[in-house]
Amino acid sequence: MAVLGLLAVLAAAGLMVAPGATGNALTRQQDPLPAPVLASPADGTLFTDLAPETTLTWQPVYGAKRYDVEVQCLCAATWAPWMSASVRATSWTFAWNRATDFKERRWRVTAIAPNGTPGITSVWWGFRFEPRPSPVLVSPADGTVFSTLPRTTTVTWEPVEWAVSLSIEIDCFGCSTPGQWTVWLSTLLPFTATSYTFDFPGPFLGRWRISGKPPAPPGPPPSPFWQFEYTV
């Protein structure tokens, strides 16, 4: 009974007899390493197409030998493993594919002790890959037919807030080669532009579209073409 009582006191103090030890050899029972504190990207971050890489960072955990990083994907109805890594640093960088990875993700980190014991896992933080939208055309409506002179035309589009510059392309059907589209005008515009006015060359079909240049390539596709026609 005295031995049992002593063991109970030792357990309450966080002490235990080392396995295989003799005499009075005691070891202190270690608490698990605390959960890492995540740093960046912030929970809920939305990534556009500025860069093909993402770096996850967290605060160091005292006593950790390495960190296990998990990234999951909500690519279907439930969360599923997507990427993982075991690193000694307090950051991890991974690449992603703009064409396929526009899905929701979440990540968490576990500190691992020198003896391989995992600590408490951090909370999940989420992020999402989503491309910038193409410019949105406004007027004249696709398929508009003009029967007036002069052929002065103003086209408009919504502000392209992510662009550092814009360009407009205006094509003409049959202007140069019968039965074929040719580029009639192509010019750069300031990123603040939301309209452009031109004099169309004749009674032809025309079409136009807007492209945006992002701070770093690549950007989204141009807007779709919208057509118009002059009958006179």
Side-chain angles (χ1 to χ4, degrees):
M1 294 297 293
V3 173
L4 293 175
L6 176 60
L7 291 175
V9 171
L10 292 175
L15 297 171
M16 60 182 293
V17 178
T22 58
N24 295 325
L26 298 174
T27 61
R28 179 171 295 277
Q29 188 173 8
Q30 297 294 320
D31 291 330
L33 294 175
V37 176
L38 306 185
S40 67
D43 188 25
T45 294
L46 172 63
F47 290 102
T48 60
D49 55 358
L50 273 177
E53 293 183 338
T54 299
T55 298
L56 310 176
T57 67
W58 54 93
Q59 295 181 13
V61 174
Y62 178 78
K65 183 179 181 180
R66 59 183 173 86
Y67 301 91
D68 286 352
V69 187
E70 303 171 71
V71 183
Q72 292 188 347
C73 168
L74 190 61
C75 295
T78 59
W79 290 101
W82 182 58
M83 282 188 175
S84 63
S86 185
V87 298
R88 293 181 179 271
T90 54
S91 66
W92 179 53
T93 299
F94 62 93
W96 48 278
N97 186 314
R98 296 181 184 87
T100 61
D101 288 342
F102 303 135
K103 303 286 195 312
E104 190 171 354
R105 303 288 195 271
R106 66 180 184 179
W107 64 288
R108 65 181 181 179
V109 180
T110 305
I112 308 299
N115 64 2
T117 302
I120 300 172
T121 301
S122 73
V123 297
W124 289 106
W125 272 14
F127 59 91
R128 181 177 177 84
F129 299 136
E130 186 172 308
R132 292 184 176 91
S134 297
V136 177
L137 308 186
V138 175
S139 66
D142 188 24
T144 296
V145 176
F146 298 102
S147 56
T148 59
L149 291 174
R151 302 184 193 94
T152 301
T153 309
T154 297
V155 294
T156 67
W157 57 91
E158 293 183 1
V160 186
E161 297 178 351
W162 50 262
V164 296
S165 67
L166 302 174
S167 62
I168 185 170
E169 176 187 341
I170 304 172
D171 297 347
C172 181
F173 188 78
C175 289
S176 300
T177 305
Q180 293 185 16
W181 287 104
T182 54
V183 178
W184 173 70
L185 181 147
S186 180
T187 188
L188 293 175
L189 302 172
F191 72 93
T192 54
T194 56
S195 66
Y196 184 75
T197 299
F198 57 92
D199 290 315
F200 200 58
F204 303 107
L205 279 173
R207 65 182 185 183
W208 65 287
R209 65 180 178 180
I210 298 293
S211 301
K213 180 182 178 182
S223 71
F225 276 110
W226 273 15
Q227 280 193 195
F228 59 90
E229 181 180 6
Y230 273 94
T231 60
V232 295

